Amino acid sequence: MSITRTGEDTFFHDILESLETGLVVVDGSGTIVFSNDAAAELVGRSAARLSGRPLDDLFVDEDGGVMRKVREAARSDAGPLNEASTARLVDADGSRLPVRIEVGTTDHDGQQHYTLSLTAPLRQTGPQPLDRTEDVLRGVFEESNDGLLVIDPTADRVLDCNGRACELFGCEREDLLTQQPGDLLPHDLESLLEFAETGRRVTGELDCCTDRDGRPTVEITLSLFSVGEHRHVLVHLRDVTEHQEREARLRRRSEAMDAAPNGIAILDEDREFVYVNRAHAEVYGHDSGSDLVGESWETLYGAEEARRFRWDVLPTVHEEGAWRGEATGRRTDGSTFPQEVSISRLDDGGHVCVVRDVSESRRRTRGLDLLNRASRDLSQARTAEAVAGTAVETAADLLGTDVACVRLFDRDSNSFEPVAMTDGASELVESRPAFDLKSTLAGRAYRAGEPVLDRPDPDDPFVETPDWGSIHLPLGEYGTLTLLTGAGETLSTADRRLAETLAETVTADLERVERERELRESERAVREQRDRLTSLNRVNELVQDLIGELIEAPTREELEQGICERLADTDRYQGAWLAETDVSGDWRVLKASAGLPEGYRTLVEQLPLEQVDDGVVARAAETGEFSVACDYWTDGTPGGGDKEPTRVESTAAVPLSYGDRLYGVLVLKTDESDAFGPEIRSGLEVLGDTIGFAIHAVENRRLLLSDEVVELEFEVTDERCLAVDVSKELDCYAAIEQALLTREGNHLCYLRVDGVDPETAVAVTAEATAVADCRVVDEYEDGCLLEVRKTESGAEVMMDVGATITTATAKDGVGTLVVEAPPDADIREVIDGYTARNPESSLVAKREVDRGARTTSSVRERLQEQLTEKQESALTAAYYAGYYDWPRGSTAEELAESLDVASATLHQHLRAAERKLLAAVLKD
């Protein structure tokens, strides 16, 4: 199209004036050179009054800062003027108006100009004349972010277009100007004119896209303007494809959220619901999510839970951006339920909340826990009755019912016998004599080998108990498990499966109990047959064999268990067991046992020692003498667990002692009342003494033969410790050098006292606890050595637990005691044994020590280092001359004559050599 310069200027002026977006063009100095009517209307001034004014005059509190921001926006590819906060214009009345400004650039005569696109509610004002050149208008036209077409409706052709329009249509400018409007737009020319005249906005897909797979969806705005006598249509094209795709994604996301199984809700910054999906509404008992929109989230929780969210959860979300945990929700009917909650913070201050009801999950978890616990309990049951009892308790907890019953099939009577019922089942049977927990249905389940579920009709007048439903589960060939529930209750598939799993477990344990019973009966028959084949006269032979085997036992436990097994494995005794006393005097029954019936074991474990076997064990423990009880009956286990009393013919209690120490009592069981006559009693007493000696030897041998020992160090302030008592009274150092056990059972110890004269040391020591006598055996320059005889000692306690005291020293009333114990010793028993006797003591160190083996060569080497040549000669000659034999092979006079020394000199050398020899052996 050919137009004059003035006409073309007017043409572009009309185009720009027809735009609804405000346009302002400024030069490089920030002076406004052009504004369209939309921009002038936005600030309440005419376009002519805006022309030539500084751009800063249009903005609030700006002093040259606007042009700086304009230039920055232009350098960033025509981005928004200010994304962080909306810029504010000042209109003619001084009012402030927020707008969004986008910046573009154009060159004219080598000078850069800036185009500002102002987006805000438009005001209608009359047209203003342009007073700038067509080049500036052409730059604005070309740099528009939206596509622009100028159509001549009369000629039905495109007069002009900008670069953005070419991009949308995917063709060059020359090709676009040759197209007819009907080929480019989704509407005919008459419709476009109608749209333009009415101001309607239309959208649609463009029809001539050649360089893209999909056609862009555009929003089309039409405006009419005249150039002279000619009307033109300005087509404003804005690509809204991405916007519509985003809306479609949001729709799909919304549909997905609505269909999600978990509850999803979106809250605004005031914690009020703006979106709630169906699952979220239903979990709280609402019919629709719209019921909650606009409501506060606190309406879904109790006061305490809402307070926890406000003070604990939401601050965490604010700091970390998200929180996940458990809470208790409240439904519309007031009931509560456990839930898992996930809350995430949104950029606008709102929150996304995801909720899942975990009631069923917890119920399943609880059911599995009950089954696991029941499996452990059932595996420990030894009778069918015990299995049935555990089964009804577990079933009642599993399904939340108080009515459960196990019936076992009795083959002799060909009927079901209830062997275990809950209290609720017992009350139901007692209150309704004609009601038998629906045994007919239980029989059907037993015969079919499949569960039978009964859900009666409450309105049926012929149903005896319409308020009860039931499920009957077969227990293999052994019986049935019956559970009653309320008639209105629904037994879920998960609950039914849990109940069936329990029935399978119970069936397996009933089978195990039956096999164990048959095995016990078989073993008992074999044992009775073997016992009948063994003669009575083998008792003494057995005792002799046991005495020989005791010495070879490596540990006390193996020694005791071997004794019980060997005795029980004869025709004389049906069972044997040991009762043991510890260092504190407490008794522990069944330390070792063999051949005992289960009922008798239960009786022994539950009754006090004085009541076991008519008190025979307690009498032997108290008197230390052999004791026998014959021909009596037990009353069963406490609480009436046994239905029938147990007959015990004869029981013997044999004390196991060594010296004054009673290590325990051996109990023998037999069916023969005369099994412990005088001829056998003496043999058993010898056996008891021998076992006591063997236990003592084993306990001490562990320490003597062990290269590695555990060394325990105690700090002692208890005055019952001799060294502590003496050092405290005399403010000195005292140490026990050695301790021995005398034939009379007393303790002989050698106490060293430093810094005190012998008379004072003897006087104070004689007054110490448990001291019977003391005397001075050696004097030093700064102290003395006392020989002290005591009636009791901590060393005895340590020997009883297999340990030994290696060091006992004290200074000014604070003692240090070092105890050695074998590595396999019960260290807690050692500690408790010593602290029980000396309460004012505490363990301060525990060490593992390798003390190494002491060989003959090491002793000889040590002796050679200490003996003089004359002492070694005297000792060697005395040994080989038979001076130490009995009767003596040589006298001292003969030996002295052989060595050519005086008799006194020989005795002096021998005494010194003997002392060094004993020191080399006994030291350490």
Side-chain angles (χ1 to χ4, degrees):
M1 180 179 70
S2 176
I3 60 174
T4 64
R5 179 181 181 85
T6 301
E8 187 173 355
D9 187 4
T10 302
F11 175 73
F12 284 114
H13 171 274
D14 291 342
I15 291 176
L16 296 178
E17 288 298 343
S18 66
L19 296 177
E20 295 181 357
T21 302
L23 294 176
V24 175
V25 181
V26 297
D27 60 17
S29 65
T31 302
I32 299 173
V33 299
F34 171 76
S35 63
N36 66 354
D37 287 345
E41 181 182 0
L42 195 62
V43 297
R45 299 178 177 87
S46 66
R49 292 184 61 187
L50 290 179
S51 181
R53 297 186 62 175
L55 182 64
D56 288 347
D57 291 350
L58 301 184
F59 292 89
V60 178
D61 299 330
E62 295 288 350
D63 186 13
V66 174
M67 278 307 297
R68 176 178 55 79
K69 297 178 181 179
V70 168
R71 294 187 184 96
E72 291 176 354
R75 285 195 295 271
S76 62
D77 298 329
L81 180 62
N82 189 345
E83 287 186 330
S85 60
T86 305
R88 293 181 178 273
L89 295 178
V90 178
D91 62 11
D93 299 330
S95 300
R96 301 182 180 188
L97 179 67
V99 296
R100 177 177 174 81
I101 302 175
E102 294 184 356
V103 179
T105 60
T106 186
D107 291 330
H108 176 62
D109 291 338
Q111 182 180 4
Q112 189 175 45
H113 289 71
Y114 301 92
T115 303
L116 279 64
S117 176
L118 311 180
T119 303
L122 299 179
R123 301 175 183 175
Q124 298 296 327
T125 60
Q128 299 293 329
L130 278 175
D131 57 0
R132 303 298 294 172
T133 65
E134 64 180 88
D135 296 323
V136 174
L137 300 179
R138 166 57 70 178
V140 173
F141 180 81
E142 289 294 344
E143 295 300 327
S144 175
N145 290 327
D146 295 327
L148 298 176
L149 294 178
V150 179
I151 296 176
D152 184 352
T154 304
D156 191 17
R157 58 176 295 192
V158 178
L159 298 180
D160 205 351
C161 64
N162 67 353
R164 179 57 178 155
C166 296
E167 292 177 6
L168 290 175
F169 286 107
C171 60
E172 298 294 333
R173 175 184 177 84
E174 291 76 10
D175 295 334
L176 186 59
L177 294 178
T178 62
Q179 301 290 328
Q180 290 185 333
D183 297 332
L184 297 174
L185 302 176
H187 305 283
D188 55 39
L189 186 59
E190 290 76 10
S191 298
L192 293 177
L193 290 175
E194 181 181 354
F195 293 149
E197 291 174 353
T198 59
R200 292 173 58 189
R201 179 174 297 179
V202 295
T203 61
E205 289 186 352
L206 300 182
D207 293 335
C208 56
C209 298
T210 59
D211 62 346
R212 295 174 61 179
D213 295 335
R215 297 175 177 177
T217 300
V218 298
E219 182 181 79
I220 305 173
T221 303
L222 306 175
S223 301
L224 291 177
F225 67 96
S226 299
V227 179
E229 298 292 331
H230 298 283
R231 286 198 312 168
H232 296 79
V233 178
L234 176 63
V235 181
H236 187 279
L237 305 173
R238 175 165 294 174
D239 188 350
V240 293
T241 305
E242 183 178 351
H243 175 73
Q244 290 194 353
E245 290 177 351
R246 185 166 57 252
E247 287 185 345
R249 288 195 299 270
L250 290 175
R251 270 195 312 274
R252 290 193 297 270
R253 186 178 304 171
S254 177
E255 293 171 355
M257 291 171 63
D258 282 336
N262 293 334
I264 303 175
I266 300 177
L267 296 82
D268 60 17
E269 58 185 2
D270 296 325
R271 258 79 81 185
E272 293 182 353
F273 291 107
V274 296
Y275 169 80
V276 179
N277 75 344
R278 182 175 61 257
H280 194 282
E282 291 177 350
V283 77
Y284 290 98
H286 291 272
D287 296 331
S288 171
S290 60
D291 297 344
L292 291 172
V293 172
E295 297 291 336
S296 171
W297 62 273
E298 294 189 3
T299 61
L300 304 182
Y301 298 95
E304 188 65 28
E305 197 73 310
R307 189 179 301 109
R308 181 173 76 92
F309 271 89
R310 286 196 302 271
W311 294 105
D312 296 336
V313 175
L314 293 180
T316 301
V317 176
H318 178 73
E319 293 177 2
E320 301 180 4
W323 175 86
R324 184 174 183 176
E326 295 186 351
T328 302
R330 185 176 64 183
R331 298 187 178 91
T332 54
D333 60 2
S335 62
T336 60
F337 66 97
Q339 59 180 216
E340 285 185 356
V341 185
S342 175
I343 301 177
S344 302
R345 187 185 63 210
L346 298 176
D347 294 338
D348 61 359
H351 298 86
V352 174
C353 179
V354 179
V355 172
R356 184 169 69 91
D357 186 349
V358 296
S359 302
E360 189 62 29
S361 175
R362 287 190 177 181
R363 185 173 181 182
R364 286 195 301 269
T365 301
R366 176 180 176 274
L368 293 175
D369 290 341
L370 286 173
L371 287 177
N372 288 334
R373 185 165 63 248
S375 179
R376 292 193 299 268
D377 294 342
L378 289 169
S379 66
Q380 299 174 4
R382 292 294 175 262
T383 64
E385 290 76 11
V387 171
T390 300
V392 297
E393 292 176 4
T394 304
D397 289 342
L398 201 61
L399 299 188
T401 178
D402 60 350
V403 181
C405 172
V406 168
R407 300 181 183 87
L408 296 183
F409 184 72
D410 187 345
R411 290 180 174 81
D412 295 335
S413 62
N414 196 32
S415 63
F416 283 117
E417 295 296 333
V419 295
M421 286 192 293
T422 60
D423 294 340
S426 300
E427 294 175 1
L428 187 63
V429 172
E430 291 174 1
S431 62
R432 303 184 183 183
F435 183 59
D436 60 355
L437 295 177
K438 304 183 178 180
S439 60
T440 303
L441 297 178
R444 184 193 306 170
Y446 177 77
R447 291 188 297 273
E450 296 179 353
V452 173
L453 181 64
D454 178 43
R455 187 63 57 193
D457 184 0
D459 299 327
D460 188 350
F462 298 101
V463 176
E464 182 181 4
T465 55
D467 51 341
W468 291 102
S470 61
I471 181 173
H472 306 268
L473 303 162
L475 303 177
E477 63 182 36
Y478 303 100
T480 58
L481 168 63
T482 295
L483 300 168
L484 266 62
T485 60
E489 298 179 8
T490 301
L491 191 65
S492 68
T493 302
D495 287 342
R496 177 171 174 174
R497 182 55 190 155
L498 289 173
E500 292 175 353
T501 303
L502 173 62
E504 293 170 359
T505 305
V506 171
T507 302
D509 280 283
L510 287 172
E511 182 178 356
R512 174 188 56 79
V513 167
E514 178 67 16
R515 288 199 308 268
E516 291 177 353
R517 184 189 64 79
E518 293 175 351
L519 180 61
R520 286 194 299 270
E521 291 180 353
S522 175
E523 290 176 347
R524 184 163 51 250
V526 172
R527 186 170 55 251
E528 290 174 354
Q529 182 180 11
R530 183 181 62 245
D531 291 343
R532 284 191 298 267
L533 297 176
T534 306
S535 65
L536 181 62
N537 58 12
R538 294 184 57 189
V539 173
N540 289 330
E541 181 182 353
L542 171 64
V543 172
Q544 295 300 321
D545 291 343
L546 283 174
I547 291 175
E549 295 174 2
L550 290 176
I551 307 302
E552 300 177 0
T555 65
R556 180 176 178 177
E557 290 74 14
E558 293 182 12
L559 183 150
E560 294 172 339
Q561 185 61 35
I563 290 170
C564 292
E565 291 177 355
R566 183 66 183 275
L567 290 170
D569 193 28
T570 68
D571 60 335
R572 297 294 296 172
Y573 310 113
Q574 281 68 51
W577 59 277
L578 274 170
E580 175 189 89
T581 179
D582 58 19
V583 293
S584 62
D586 295 329
W587 284 86
R588 181 173 57 165
V589 299
L590 296 178
K591 173 64 166 51
S593 64
L596 301 179
E598 191 65 27
Y600 177 76
R601 290 179 60 88
T602 305
L603 182 72
V604 172
E605 291 174 342
Q606 295 187 1
L607 287 177
L609 190 65
E610 293 77 10
Q611 300 180 22
V612 173
D613 290 333
D614 202 27
V616 64
V617 182
R619 288 196 298 273
E622 182 178 357
T623 64
E625 297 178 356
F626 189 100
S627 184
V628 177
C630 298
D631 197 12
Y632 67 93
W633 292 81
T634 68
D635 293 330
T637 58
D642 288 345
K643 293 183 177 181
E644 297 181 357
T646 302
R647 177 95 178 252
V648 179
E649 296 290 345
S650 297
T651 302
V654 183
L656 309 178
S657 59
Y658 174 73
D660 292 337
R661 170 66 168 156
L662 179 65
Y663 287 98
V665 176
L666 171 64
V667 183
L668 300 175
K669 313 291 295 183
T670 180
D671 291 336
E672 300 177 16
S673 59
D674 60 344
F676 303 112
E679 73 282 0
I680 297 176
R681 175 171 177 169
S682 59
L684 292 177
E685 288 176 340
V686 172
L687 177 63
D689 292 339
T690 307
I691 294 173
F693 171 80
I695 292 174
H696 177 78
V698 168
E699 293 291 333
N700 287 278
R701 183 171 59 191
R702 288 190 303 166
L703 182 59
L704 294 174
L705 298 181
S706 177
D707 292 336
E708 295 183 356
V709 295
V710 177
E711 193 174 82
L712 305 175
E713 181 179 337
F714 295 86
E715 181 180 276
V716 186
T717 57
D718 198 305
E719 294 181 3
R720 296 182 66 182
C721 179
L722 180 61
V724 172
D725 191 6
V726 173
S727 70
K728 181 178 181 181
E729 293 294 329
L730 297 176
D731 294 328
C732 67
Y733 172 85
I736 297 177
E737 297 286 345
Q738 187 58 272
L740 303 171
L741 186 65
T742 68
R743 184 178 181 86
E744 295 78 19
N746 293 325
H747 298 270
L748 190 65
C749 61
Y750 294 87
L751 177 68
R752 177 179 175 179
V753 182
D754 292 343
V756 180
D757 61 276
E759 291 78 14
T760 304
V762 170
V764 171
T765 303
E767 297 297 325
T769 303
V771 172
D773 190 18
C774 71
R775 67 185 181 93
V776 179
V777 296
D778 201 357
E779 295 183 14
Y780 310 113
E781 181 177 346
D782 60 342
C784 59
L785 182 66
L786 304 181
E787 182 183 84
V788 183
R789 184 164 53 88
K790 299 181 64 181
T791 58
E792 61 181 41
S793 172
E796 182 180 15
V797 177
M798 293 295 93
M799 287 189 293
D800 290 341
V801 294
T804 183
I805 297 176
T806 60
T807 303
T809 63
K811 183 176 178 58
D812 301 332
V814 179
T816 298
L817 184 87
V818 178
V819 175
E820 284 186 354
D824 59 343
D826 187 344
I827 302 303
R828 173 50 55 189
E829 186 179 21
V830 175
I831 297 172
D832 292 344
Y834 187 79
T835 55
R837 186 182 185 279
N838 297 291
E840 295 180 13
S841 59
S842 60
L843 181 69
V844 296
K846 175 186 174 184
R847 298 177 287 270
E848 293 184 359
V849 179
D850 185 357
R851 62 185 182 185
R854 290 182 291 181
T855 64
T856 302
S857 60
S858 66
V859 175
R860 183 181 297 112
E861 291 173 359
R862 181 175 178 180
L863 185 61
Q864 288 176 349
E865 293 174 358
Q866 297 183 6
L867 290 177
T868 65
E869 182 178 354
K870 292 180 179 180
Q871 292 169 353
E872 182 178 5
S873 298
L875 188 63
T876 303
Y879 176 80
Y880 285 103
Y883 177 77
Y884 294 106
D885 296 341
W886 188 260
R888 288 183 174 179
S890 299
T891 64
E893 289 74 16
E894 292 173 343
L895 186 60
E897 184 180 355
S898 299
L899 294 175
D900 197 18
V901 296
S903 178
T905 302
L906 174 66
H907 282 292
Q908 181 182 0
H909 289 334
L910 284 178
R911 176 62 61 88
E914 290 167 355
R915 182 175 180 83
K916 292 178 180 179
L917 173 61
L918 292 174
V921 175
L922 298 179
K923 279 293 185 181
D924 302 328

